[in-house]
Amino acid sequence: MARIVETTVYDFAELSDPAKDKARTWFRESWVNSWDWWDSVYDDFAEICRILGITLAASPVRLMGGGLRQDPRIYFRGFSSQGDGACYEGHYAYAAHAGRQIRSYAPQDAKLHAIADALQAVQRRNFYQLAASFRHRGHYCHAYSMDFDVERDSPTRQPMTADAETAVVEALRDLAHWLYRQLLTEYEYLTSDEAVDDGIAANSYTFTETGRHFG
């Protein structure tokens, strides 16, 4: 038999502090999993890769309308377990003026400047002939789950300098570490109390007295 049950509901601002914490937990869990919040970080990373001479590998993804888009092969896992991190797949070759361009694109990011300088320095020692391909390996996603193949394209078959492979691999792994830090920073901002409170208010959600989502 149908019954009518009356429930008193509250705006977020009217809740007690414990109830607000419960409401925030609900919003974080439901909201973070509802959209690809990392897209802006990926877009920024793709532009940085372009400047440094990295071509990201991509995989086709079928759209609901029947078309295809190419998603970069960027992977991450986070943010609270040992072994969490980020990695990517693609190809690297020398890019002229990368150091100058990365400073123009990200003038305050000393880590990116150091990565560009390291790649420039090792390329200079090898007459700008180094190239590398790299791919993800295994079930984990971090800088050390990337396999590298570094070569020197010398018309006279001159070998790489002794430090070349290590220098390229370390720089590209440093970039994976940088990517993970950007993802973590974005995630921490989006799930901060301030951002969550703004999101709840913008959607005009209501809650029971204990902080359980109502509508």
Side-chain angles (χ1 to χ4, degrees), residues 115-189:
I115 291 170
D117 291 347
L119 291 172
Q120 172 76 12
V122 71
Q123 287 282 12
R124 185 184 303 113
R125 293 192 294 271
N126 289 270
F127 295 92
Y128 309 102
Q129 295 168 343
L130 295 177
S133 58
F134 36 92
R135 60 191 178 277
H136 174 232
R137 164 185 42 82
H139 299 291
Y140 295 100
C141 297
H142 52 72
Y144 296 96
S145 67
M146 298 167 66
D147 283 338
F148 292 86
D149 183 14
V150 182
E151 297 180 343
R152 179 173 178 176
D153 185 16
S154 170
T156 60
R157 298 187 179 181
Q158 190 173 1
M160 293 184 288
T161 57
D163 66 331
E165 182 172 8
T166 298
V168 170
V169 169
E170 286 183 351
L172 297 179
R173 281 188 171 146
D174 282 348
L175 187 60
H177 291 308
W178 179 91
L179 170 61
Y180 182 71
R181 287 192 296 272
Q182 298 303 112
L183 289 164
L184 176 59
T185 299
E186 181 73 0
Y187 179 82
E188 288 179 338
Y189 165 72

Side-chain angles (χ1 to χ4, degrees), residues 103-117:
R103 284 170 169 81
S104 176
Y105 182 80
Q108 304 301 319
D109 200 316
K111 187 62 179 179
L112 286 179
H113 304 169
I115 291 170
D117 291 347

